[in-house]
Structure formats: C-alpha cells, structure tokens
Amino acid sequence: MANNQNLPEPITLKKSIGPSIILLGLALGSGELIMWPYLVSQYGLGIIWGGLLGITFQYFLNTEIMRYTLARGESVFVGWRRGGKAIPVWFVFSTVIPWALPGFVLASATMINHVFPSFPINITAAILILITGLIISSGKTLYKTMETVQKTLLSVGVPFVTLLALYMARGTNWTALFQGFIGLGDGYRFLPEGVAIGAFLGAFAYSGGGGNLNLSQSYYIKEKGMGMGRYGVGIKTLLAGSSSHRLDGQFFSLSGSNLSKWNRWWRLVATEHFLVFWGIGIFTISMLALLSAATARGVESTGGLSIFFRQSEMISSALHPLVGTSFVLIGALMLFTTQLGVLEAASRIISENLLLLKYKVTDEVNASRMFYYVLWTELAFSAIFLFSGASEPRSLLTLGAILNAAAMMVAFVLIGALNTITIPKQLRPPLARILVLGTAALFFAYFVIQTVLTAKW
C-alpha cells in the first residue's frame, strides 16, 4: 500500500485503557497467583526481585510491539512474514507446544474441587474449557468481548487479594518485600541455595503475559483503533459473522503534523501500559507474595496447589472460614480468566501465522473463520488431554513456562530487529531500548540453558 494515510488524532488516556487489561488477565492467574507465592513460601521474599525484573522486561517488549502496530496498522507477525516463511513456522510451533497444555484450567478445577469435593476435577475442567469457548465466540467483536470480560473479572480479584494482604501482612513482611526487590533475602543474595532454576524461570517467565502471548498486544492495539490500527479490520465473533480482508497495513506519511501526533500516540500507549500492565501487575505480584509470606512461609510443599490451600486455611483461621473459601474461589476465577486469555491469544497467533504461511500478506483472507477453526480445535485437544491421565497443575505450568521462556528469548530479538530495520528512522526505538531488549534476551537465554543443564525443576 502507498504511504498516503494520515495518522489519526490520539485519544485520551481514559479511552486508551483496554489492551493492557486483556494482557494483564493473562498474567494474574499464573506466575502471580501460583508460582511466586510458592517460591516465597519456600525461600522468602528475597526472591521477588525476579517478578519485578520479569514484568519490567515484558513492559519493554510489549511497548515495542505496540510501536510497530501504531506505526503500520498491522500485526508484528505480518511484518515478520515479509522476511520469509520460516518465522511463521516458528510462531505456530512455539505457540502450539507450550499453550496446548490446559494447566490453568486444571488448576482452577482443582480449586473448585477443594471447595466442592463432589465436583470431579477433570469433568469440571472440561466444562470450564467449554465455557471459555462459548464466551470467546459470543458478542459483536472478539476484542470487545475480551476487554469487557477481563475488566469485570479483574475488578473482583485484585481488590479482594489486596484487602487480604493488607490485613494479614506484618511490618517484617513489608520490610522483607522491599529488600527483596533489590535481591536481599534471608541469608542470601538474589538466588537462595538449592532453588530449582526451572521453577524460578517458570515464575520469571510468567511475570506478565508469558511466551508468545505478549505479542498478542499487537492485535489489541489494532482492534482498539489506536494509531494506524484505526484503518484495520478486527476479528468478528462466531455469532457476528465474518468476511475477507487484507492483513497488511501501511505507514503514515512523515509530515510534521503526523510526526507530532505520533509523539503523542507513543507517550499515550507507553503511559497506559506502564500504569495498567506494569503498575497493577507488580502491585498484584507484591500483594500475593506478601500474603504467601504471612500465611505459608516455611510450610513444606507437597507439590501442586498445597501452598495455596495452606494460605486458605490460615486466612480462615485469622478471619472466617467463608473468607478462606472465597480466597480459593477467587483464585479459581483468576485462573479461569487466564485460561480465557490464553486460548484467545494463542488462537489469534496460530491462526494468523497459518494464514501467512498459505497466503501473501496482500491477499484477502477470512481471519475470523480461521481463528475459530483453531480455537475449537484447541478446545477439543485440551478436553481430550484432561482425560489422558494428566494431573499436577504446577508441573504443567512450570513446563509451559520453560518452553515459553525460550519463545520470549526469540521474541526480544525479533522485535528489536523489526523495529530497527523495517520502520522509518523517525519512528524507531532509541539505543537504550534496544539495549534493554538485548539484555532481556541474554537473561532468558542464561536461565533456559541453566534449566536444561540441571534438569531439576
């Protein structure tokens, strides 16, 4: 397409809130709810620096993803496809393998079974998977459905956990938390002796969206109508019908007026993502870590969700059994929102990359139809997997996290290359941001290699 479009006028900060909420929904039910509280219960709050660093790295990754889509109005996957078919093959493979495991919904069903023992875990998980499919398939547009659902569910979970943490935590817990942000633990610096590197990597990778799912921010920016995404076409829900459209976008003309609007757009998305994704994300990590330190520190774990259930018992004793039960059910709800987001984001990534393998970026394709083919295939696979003898939710989540860490390592490199090579010089990231992306890639590479070498997680 010719570079003849004007960049739309930026919207207000209030109206821009939405894309980061959806991505945050992917984050709060994994590393935040299960993995960091587990590590804190075993090693104390001195390890929480990993959560701070992990979500900070993901902030830079996500905003660079948004940079590309704001500038060109297409997903980053379309941009990478112009370099050949190898990259779409990678993204199909690296999204299908780690996200095919229904670890979140299995953990959610386990929590429900803890409260209602008459509800079989696998059957409950299968029902939850079906419900996620029905939610994603309903409404007018896929983006609006996801934004509404995630805003509603997160508005329940985050305040509830915050109130519990504020009540249960003591002064020593708060001191340990702030020391932990700079790596000062109880008798160790940064990593305690004996910590399983794979478990740490799992929590680190899930300090945010995790894996390729961060790249779905590209779709949310586009379908929110931000920047050049205003001219794109989003995915319709199953009940709303669909039509064919092109996946590619175009750059805006580099006039003085457009460049001025670009600077305002960039400040807007960087601020919104900092406040919502980074700010609420690290706040929730902190509250859940504090709660774990106050209720389960030193409790020997038997694996799975034992630490989470121990927290519930302590909350019941300190407050009321109904509050402890509510904590478990809120946890199940948060994991459900994660599974919802995982299925939606993974299906987007897989379906678009399959289309990019089959068609040129300038061809008209029915992206909505392909999305629902992939989604319901994933749903069916997840349901079958549940009855294949799989149990242990934390092991499934940790395995997925390790695979996703490798995918994130690649994503940091690819987005840095895309934004420094393919977009106009005036819109490219500064050197400092490229250095952050490179540092993040090296950090992930180190821990992935250590995990493979030790094979102890």
Side-chain angles (χ1 to χ4, degrees):
M1 290 186 180
N3 297 355
N4 56 6
Q5 289 276 18
N6 282 322
L7 187 64
E9 284 288 339
I11 57 179
T12 64
L13 178 62
K14 182 178 179 180
K15 289 183 178 179
S16 73
I17 294 175
S20 299
I21 287 287
I22 300 176
L23 200 61
L24 188 64
L26 294 174
L28 296 186
S30 49
E32 283 80 342
L33 186 66
I34 296 177
M35 292 185 172
W36 283 117
Y38 164 75
L39 288 173
V40 167
S41 73
Q42 303 302 298
Y43 305 106
L45 286 161
I47 203 169
I48 203 63
W49 65 270
L52 175 62
L53 185 61
I55 200 168
T56 301
F57 278 157
Q58 291 193 32
Y59 167 80
F60 283 96
L61 174 67
N62 298 343
T63 48
E64 286 308 312
I65 291 163
M66 290 190 281
R67 180 192 301 273
Y68 182 83
T69 301
L70 280 173
R72 197 161 191 174
E74 65 186 27
S75 78
V76 289
F77 301 103
V78 177
W80 286 320
R81 171 62 180 85
R82 291 188 174 91
K85 290 188 175 182
I87 296 181
V89 170
W90 161 252
F91 280 115
V92 171
F93 171 80
S94 61
T95 305
V96 168
I97 300 301
W99 295 114
L101 302 174
F104 301 110
V105 76
L106 187 56
S108 181
T110 303
M111 292 178 182
I112 293 174
N113 173 263
H114 183 78
V115 177
F116 304 106
S118 60
F119 289 11
I121 293 176
N122 283 358
I123 293 176
T124 302
I127 293 172
L128 291 177
I129 286 174
L130 176 61
I131 292 172
T132 61
L134 294 175
I135 291 174
I136 294 172
S137 302
S138 62
K140 291 184 178 180
T141 66
L142 179 59
Y143 172 80
K144 192 61 180 177
T145 297
M146 294 303 298
E147 182 184 278
T148 301
V149 170
Q150 295 288 20
K151 277 184 177 180
T152 302
L153 296 180
L154 290 176
S155 67
V156 175
V158 175
F160 181 81
V161 167
T162 300
L163 291 173
L164 281 180
L166 292 175
Y167 182 84
M168 300 294 292
R170 300 293 178 259
T172 53
N173 300 133
W174 285 98
T175 300
L177 175 68
F178 291 118
Q179 289 179 336
F181 282 139
I182 57 173
L184 293 176
D186 185 10
Y188 65 88
R189 293 292 304 269
F190 295 107
L191 288 177
E193 185 178 353
V195 65
I197 296 299
F200 175 79
L201 177 63
F204 186 80
Y206 279 137
S207 299
N212 290 337
L213 299 191
N214 288 276
L215 305 177
S216 62
Q217 186 73 356
S218 191
Y219 301 120
Y220 306 141
I221 285 291
K222 176 183 173 183
E223 296 191 22
K224 184 71 172 180
M226 302 176 78
M228 292 302 286
R230 182 81 56 85
Y231 303 109
V233 178
I235 291 179
K236 304 292 184 181
T237 59
L238 192 60
L239 301 179
S242 61
S243 59
S244 297
H245 62 273
R246 289 172 58 157
L247 296 175
D248 64 328
Q250 60 181 318
F251 291 118
F252 55 87
S253 60
L254 300 176
S255 65
S257 173
N258 279 337
L259 288 175
S260 175
K261 285 185 285 188
W262 165 259
N263 290 331
R264 285 185 284 146
W265 269 115
W266 175 249
R267 287 195 299 269
L268 173 68
V269 299
T271 301
E272 186 266 350
H273 205 62
F274 180 80
L275 294 174
V276 177
F277 177 80
W278 189 91
I280 298 177
I282 193 59
F283 175 80
T284 309
I285 289 174
S286 300
M287 292 301 102
L288 286 165
L290 272 174
L291 191 58
S292 178
T295 58
R297 178 70 178 101
V299 174
E300 186 176 348
S301 174
T302 57
L305 299 169
S306 60
I307 292 298
F308 184 85
F309 295 142
R310 171 61 176 171
Q311 289 180 268
S312 172
E313 293 171 5
M314 293 292 290
I315 292 167
S316 295
S317 298
L319 293 167
H320 189 277
L322 184 60
V323 181
T325 298
S326 298
F327 175 68
V328 176
L329 293 178
I330 291 293
L333 179 66
M334 292 175 72
L335 284 168
F336 176 77
T337 67
T338 299
Q339 188 67 56
L340 185 75
V342 163
L343 284 168
E344 186 264 350
S347 297
R348 280 182 179 271
I349 294 169
I350 295 166
S351 61
E352 182 169 88
N353 280 282
L354 288 174
L355 289 171
L356 291 171
L357 284 171
K358 185 176 181 180
Y359 301 99
K360 298 177 181 178
V361 297
T362 55
D363 290 341
E364 291 199 350
V365 298
N366 194 319
S368 299
R369 184 168 59 193
M370 176 61 84
F371 171 82
Y372 285 103
Y373 282 152
V374 171
L375 172 68
W376 284 95
T377 299
E378 281 195 293
L379 291 168
F381 176 82
S382 295
I384 293 170
F385 185 84
L386 288 171
F387 296 97
S388 66
S391 54
E392 191 52 56
R394 189 171 64 84
S395 291
L396 290 178
L397 295 178
T398 303
L399 172 60
I402 291 171
L403 296 172
N404 278 311
M408 289 187 68
M409 175 184 67
V410 174
F412 279 107
V413 174
L414 289 180
I415 192 63
L418 187 70
N419 284 353
T420 53
I421 296 173
T422 69
I423 65 177
K425 185 177 180 180
Q426 298 93 321
L427 315 180
R428 293 174 186 174
L431 177 60
R433 277 185 160 261
I434 297 302
L435 292 175
V436 171
L437 296 179
T439 301
L442 292 174
F443 196 93
F444 274 100
Y446 172 79
F447 280 101
V448 168
I449 292 170
Q450 288 298 312
T451 301
V452 171
L453 292 177
T454 59
K456 182 182 178 182
W457 58 274

